[in-house]
Amino acid sequence: MKVKVVRKPKAGTGTDDSAAPESKRPASLAGKGTLLAQKEAAQANKAPLTKAERQARNRRLAAKFREEELRKAFGNSRDWVPKRRKVDLIPEEYRQDELEVAPTRKRISKVDSNVQKLAKRAGGKFAETMSKALSNLTSR
């Protein structure tokens, strides 16, 4: 792990800006005077903007406005918002077991069992009826 070492300046080296004479101050602070004088100087330097400067400013402001409107249309970012969980209407201790529900119906073909029952009861009339059915099928 790196640690940044900051050393205090020794007394008398003259690195303190408040104790420095006017000649050693940076150019931005030299000769400004009081706050009122600085304010008046800043207002005097303001000239009306040229057409190109106004257009550049308007383009910059329009781009900023478009981005704000676009972000507003999509709403706030929800990246770090926890997802809502559904509130359980029925507490866990009162819930019924899902396996205890009545079973659903299944379609079962009973043709085979019906044919077997008819075959067991085969009597005289059954044989006659079958022979007539077969003769009708062959005559067509």
Side-chain angles (χ1 to χ4, degrees), residues 77-95:
S77 172
R78 296 182 300 203
D79 291 340
W80 304 107
V81 176
K83 292 185 179 181
R84 292 183 185 174
R85 295 185 179 181
K86 291 182 180 178
V87 177
D88 292 336
L89 299 177
I90 302 172
E92 186 68 33
E93 61 260 9
Y94 295 117
R95 288 188 188 168

Side-chain angles (χ1 to χ4, degrees), residues 21-92:
E22 286 288 326
S23 62
K24 289 191 176 182
R25 285 191 179 185
S28 60
L29 296 176
K32 289 285 184 169
T34 63
L35 291 176
L36 183 60
Q38 291 176 15
K39 183 178 177 182
E40 289 172 356
Q43 287 178 353
N45 291 339
K46 287 188 180 178
L49 297 175
T50 64
K51 185 175 180 180
E53 291 172 340
R54 285 196 312 268
Q55 287 175 346
R57 180 194 60 193
N58 289 343
R59 274 192 226 105
R60 206 173 46 249
L61 292 174
K64 184 178 177 183
F65 178 74
R66 274 195 308 268
E67 185 177 349
E68 286 176 2
E69 289 297 312
L70 183 64
R71 290 186 184 278
K72 219 184 286 183
F74 283 104
N76 294 336
S77 172
R78 296 182 300 203
D79 291 340
W80 304 107
V81 176
K83 292 185 179 181
R84 292 183 185 174
R85 295 185 179 181
K86 291 182 180 178
V87 177
D88 292 336
L89 299 177
I90 302 172
E92 186 68 33

Side-chain angles (χ1 to χ4, degrees), residues 112-131:
D112 295 334
S113 62
N114 289 341
V115 169
Q116 286 177 357
K117 287 179 185 176
L118 288 174
K120 286 181 184 177
R121 282 195 240 154
K125 292 201 171 195
F126 177 73
E128 289 176 21
T129 310
M130 287 301 286
S131 62

